[in-house]
Amino acid sequence: MIKFFRNIRRSHINEGKTSKYLKYAVGEIILVVIGILIALQINNWNENRKKRQVELNYLERLIIDLRDNEKLLSEFHDIKQKQLEAANIFLNFSFSKNKDSVFNVMPYFNSIFSWQDININQVTFNEMVSSGNLDLITNDSIKIKLLELNKQYNSILIIQDKEKESHDRLLFPPINEKFNMRYIMALEPSKEKEINRTFTGSEKGFYLNEFKKELLELIENQTFMNGVTVVQSSADVIMKEYLKAQQQVIDLQKLINVELNNND
């Protein structure tokens, strides 16, 4: 097309038709500009398409992370529910005058004693933030909810750190001091096989009595019961945070799924 205009322009110059030459020269320039604009538009379209593909990939990965976290939050809510129940059992027994029923608290001991960190899956979100790609999320509602959820996760981790500090400071030391875990070997048949040792009835009776004494001493220990009280008072707080985060996770999944479906 440009060659066509160039030939016409030359013929007008040769014929001395300057005005017509100028018209065709302007037309040639306009064509060049239009061509550049179209090329830029195509390039922008390709770039936007690439960014959209990266965004959709992030959204799909976020869905996977969110599903993992929804399940994790539910599991830890149940763990804390059991801890709360165990703490109430221990506290109730500590006020009881019938100390012969001390073995009734034993099934709840592990719930009080054990500790497990919650490992929230933020791999995709952290990658987006560190790479500066969070701005690729074009849906502002999704972006806002991602930031709010991250804030909620951080709140949970702060509470967890405080709980763990109390757990390590108040519960572990008296348990290690008061409890002789070796006695369990004589009281559990499976342990007898592991250490290749068979205990007589009188030996089991002796170790059972010793174990009972230590358990009573533990429950009478001020530091340990302070730890149990902390578990009892903090469990409800962290459970509410789990439920709040879980609802945020569910809402965010719905938003992302809508965005992904709109792209189909």
Side-chain angles (χ1 to χ4, degrees):
M1 181 65 73
I2 293 175
K3 185 177 180 181
F4 171 74
F5 275 100
R6 189 180 292 117
N7 292 332
I8 295 177
R9 175 164 47 85
R10 285 175 181 172
S11 66
H12 286 312
I13 291 174
N14 294 332
E15 296 173 5
K17 299 177 181 179
T18 306
S19 61
K20 288 186 177 181
Y21 160 75
L22 291 175
K23 290 180 181 178
Y24 282 104
V26 171
E28 186 176 341
I29 293 172
I30 291 174
L31 276 178
V32 171
V33 172
I34 291 174
I36 293 173
L37 291 175
I38 291 174
L40 288 174
Q41 186 66 29
I42 292 173
N43 184 64
N44 289 337
W45 180 84
N46 284 330
E47 286 300 315
N48 290 335
R49 183 176 59 83
K50 290 177 183 178
K51 288 181 179 179
R52 180 60 173 169
Q53 285 301 120
V54 174
E55 178 190 5
L56 293 174
N57 179 260
Y58 275 131
L59 292 177
E60 289 170 354
R61 289 171 57 191
L62 282 169
I63 284 290
I64 295 173
D65 293 354
L66 290 168
R67 286 172 181 166
D68 289 344
N69 289 336
E70 182 182 356
K71 181 180 178 182
L72 184 70
L73 289 164
S74 178
E75 290 173 352
F76 269 78
H77 182 275
D78 291 343
I79 289 172
K80 284 299 174 182
Q81 184 67 56
K82 291 178 181 177
Q83 279 190 344
L84 178 59
E85 180 184 1
N88 287 332
I89 293 292
F90 269 82
L91 287 168
N92 180 278
F93 179 80
S94 70
F95 292 105
S96 174
K97 294 181 180 180
N98 181 17
K99 300 305 180 182
D100 290 334
S101 62
V102 64
F103 286 116
N104 291 339
V105 305
M106 277 306 299
Y108 304 92
F109 183 76
N110 193 55
S111 294
I112 287 287
F113 175 72
S114 61
W115 178 266
Q116 184 179 357
D117 288 329
I118 183 170
N119 295 311
I120 298 171
N121 186 352
Q122 281 281 74
V123 174
T124 304
F125 177 81
N126 290 337
E127 180 185 320
M128 292 170 67
V129 172
S130 63
S131 63
N133 284 336
L134 185 60
D135 287 337
L136 288 177
I137 304 300
T138 54
N139 188 315
D140 288 338
S141 296
I142 292 177
K143 193 185 300 183
I144 291 171
K145 286 192 176 295
L146 276 171
L147 294 171
E148 289 176 346
L149 181 58
N150 182 63
K151 183 178 179 181
Q152 180 63 19
Y153 285 158
N154 288 333
S155 297
I156 288 174
L157 295 177
I158 289 172
I159 295 172
Q160 176 181 263
D161 288 343
K162 291 179 180 178
E163 280 191 325
K164 187 174 184 180
E165 186 277 329
S166 297
H167 195 274
D168 293 346
R169 178 170 51 87
L170 299 175
L171 292 177
F172 275 127
I175 288 174
N176 289 330
E177 178 186 347
K178 299 294 182 182
F179 251 18
N180 189 338
M181 304 304 290
R182 185 172 63 91
Y183 294 158
I184 296 177
M185 299 294 176
L187 302 176
E188 291 188 14
S190 61
K191 298 297 181 182
E192 286 185 291
K193 292 181 179 179
E194 289 176 8
I195 64 173
N196 195 26
R197 172 75 158 82
T198 301
F199 295 92
T200 65
S202 60
E203 285 177 323
K204 290 183 178 181
F206 170 78
Y207 289 123
L208 182 63
N209 189 54
E210 291 298 307
F211 191 75
K212 179 181 178 180
K213 288 179 184 178
E214 291 182 350
L215 186 55
L216 285 170
E217 288 178 9
L218 183 66
I219 295 175
E220 291 297 324
N221 183 275
Q222 180 178 333
T223 302
F224 177 77
M225 290 310 298
N226 282 344
V228 172
T229 304
V230 169
V231 170
Q232 195 270 348
S233 60
S234 63
D236 188 59
V237 174
I238 192 68
M239 282 195 294
K240 288 179 180 178
E241 296 300 314
Y242 288 151
L243 290 176
K244 181 179 179 181
Q246 193 173 14
Q247 187 58 54
Q248 287 178 292
V249 166
I250 292 171
D251 292 342
L252 185 52
Q253 285 183 81
K254 290 179 181 178
L255 266 179
I256 293 176
N257 281 324
V258 169
E259 185 72 16
L260 290 171
N261 290 334
N262 287 340
N263 194 68
D264 293 339

